């Protein structure tokens, strides 16, 4: 293994390509590859796409690579990502579609407890004389049981009125406590004079129920 006739040769393969080099013992390892290309080859799993040839006095060094497999793998991964994104968006698109379709089939309420531009015809329930408002076409459009409808209106009205009465009473008591805490006589008188319209409406409903 000594002398100028000694030649070392080796061949190595890679899944994305292959390369071959032959060196003379006295010359050592020689190539035209830069330090960056060597670093990328061993650590970054990237290879140059061109071949490099270098001849020495005692041998030759030949490098050739193929990175077509890496390019195909990159394209396959990109296609897979696109499919994954599309699958993730399907539930969102389905929800939007269902929302749009349901908006076409939802009809307007039959009545409203407050007057609006659409519900501008005032009516009164027969039992408790609760006011409610309907559309101008109510008598022609409504085909249900009017007594059952007005029973639901009265229940909703009582629930809303009781809730508002509770809020108004709590607010009045809070203002009275605040006026006494600050020692403000004027504020105290104003708080005591506050009216409770919802509570008064509840009293009127109770009176109608007793007389009815």
């Amino acid at each position: 293994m000594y002398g100028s006739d000694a030649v070392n040769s080796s061949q190595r393969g890679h899944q994305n390509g292959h390369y071959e080099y032959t060196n003379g013992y006295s010359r050592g390892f020689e190539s035209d590859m830069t330090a960056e290309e060597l670093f990328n080859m061993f650590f970054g799993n990237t290879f140059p796409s061109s071949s490099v040839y270098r001849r020495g006095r005692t041998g030759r060094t030949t490098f050739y690579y193929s990175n077509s497999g890496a390019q195909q793998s990159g394209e396959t991964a990109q296609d897979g990502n696109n499919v994954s994104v599309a699958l993730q968006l399907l539930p969102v698109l389905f929800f939007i579609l269902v929302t749009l379709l349901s908006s076409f089939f939802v009809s307007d309420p039959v009545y409203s407890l407050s007057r609006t531009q659409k519900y501008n015809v005032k009516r009164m329930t027969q039992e408790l004389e609760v006011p409610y408002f309907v559309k101008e076409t109510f008598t022609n459009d409504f085909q249900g049981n009017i007594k059952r409808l007005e029973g639901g209106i009265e229940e909703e009205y009582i629930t809303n009125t009781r809730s508002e009465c509770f809020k108004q009473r709590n607010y009045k008591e809070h203002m009275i406590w605040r006026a006494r805490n600050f020692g403000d006589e004027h504020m105290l008188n104003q708080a005591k004079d506050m009216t409770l319209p919802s509570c008064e409406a509840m009293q009127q409903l109770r009176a109608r129920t007793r007389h009815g």
Side-chain angles (χ1 to χ4, degrees):
M1 298 298 291
Y2 297 93
S4 60
D5 294 337
V7 179
N8 294 329
S9 63
S10 63
Q11 295 181 346
R12 299 180 180 177
H14 192 275
Q15 61 180 357
N16 291 333
H18 56 278
Y19 58 90
E20 177 185 7
Y21 62 87
T22 306
N23 277 328
Y25 177 79
S26 60
R27 296 292 296 173
F29 181 80
E30 295 180 356
S31 71
D32 285 343
M33 296 186 68
T34 63
E36 182 180 358
E37 291 174 337
L38 287 173
F39 180 84
N40 292 334
M41 180 178 72
F42 290 105
F43 299 99
N45 199 23
T46 58
F47 300 91
S49 59
S50 59
S51 300
V52 179
Y53 300 91
R54 181 177 179 84
R55 287 183 176 275
R57 290 179 298 176
T58 59
R60 65 186 178 84
T61 300
T62 304
F63 294 89
Y64 56 96
Y65 303 90
S66 174
N67 59 1
S68 59
Q71 294 177 354
Q72 293 177 358
S73 299
E75 293 176 356
T76 303
Q78 184 177 3
D79 293 340
N81 291 335
N82 293 336
V83 173
S84 178
V85 172
L87 292 176
Q88 292 177 359
L89 290 177
L90 280 179
V92 179
L93 296 176
F94 179 76
F95 176 77
I96 295 175
L97 180 61
V98 171
T99 303
L100 292 176
L101 291 177
S102 61
S103 64
F104 290 103
F105 296 100
V106 175
S107 58
D108 293 332
V110 179
Y111 67 93
S112 174
L113 292 179
S114 58
R115 184 189 297 272
T116 63
Q117 184 176 1
K118 183 182 295 187
Y119 299 90
N120 53 10
V121 178
K122 183 177 180 180
R123 292 174 62 94
M124 304 286 288
T125 62
Q126 297 179 0
E127 187 71 22
L128 298 178
E129 298 182 354
V130 173
Y132 67 100
F133 302 87
V134 297
K135 298 179 181 179
E136 295 179 354
T137 58
F138 173 78
T139 54
N140 295 328
D141 296 340
F142 184 72
Q143 303 296 330
N145 189 323
I146 189 66
K147 186 175 182 179
R148 181 179 300 175
L149 173 66
E150 292 185 349
I153 293 173
E154 291 173 350
E155 290 181 2
E156 181 180 356
Y157 178 79
I158 292 173
T159 301
N160 294 342
T161 305
R162 183 184 294 115
S163 177
E164 289 298 320
C165 174
F166 180 77
K167 293 178 182 179
Q168 293 172 7
R169 183 174 294 164
N170 282 346
Y171 180 73
K172 181 176 182 178
E173 292 176 355
H174 171 74
M175 294 301 297
I176 293 175
W177 172 86
R178 184 177 180 183
R180 288 174 177 173
N181 189 40
F182 283 99
D184 192 333
E185 190 69 21
H186 179 69
M187 182 185 296
L188 179 61
N189 293 330
Q190 286 184 334
K192 290 181 177 181
D193 292 339
M194 290 179 61
T195 60
L196 306 175
S198 296
C199 296
E200 294 174 1
M202 285 297 301
Q203 292 178 358
Q204 294 176 2
L205 287 175
R206 295 190 187 97
R208 293 170 190 169
T209 303
R210 286 195 297 268
H211 291 299

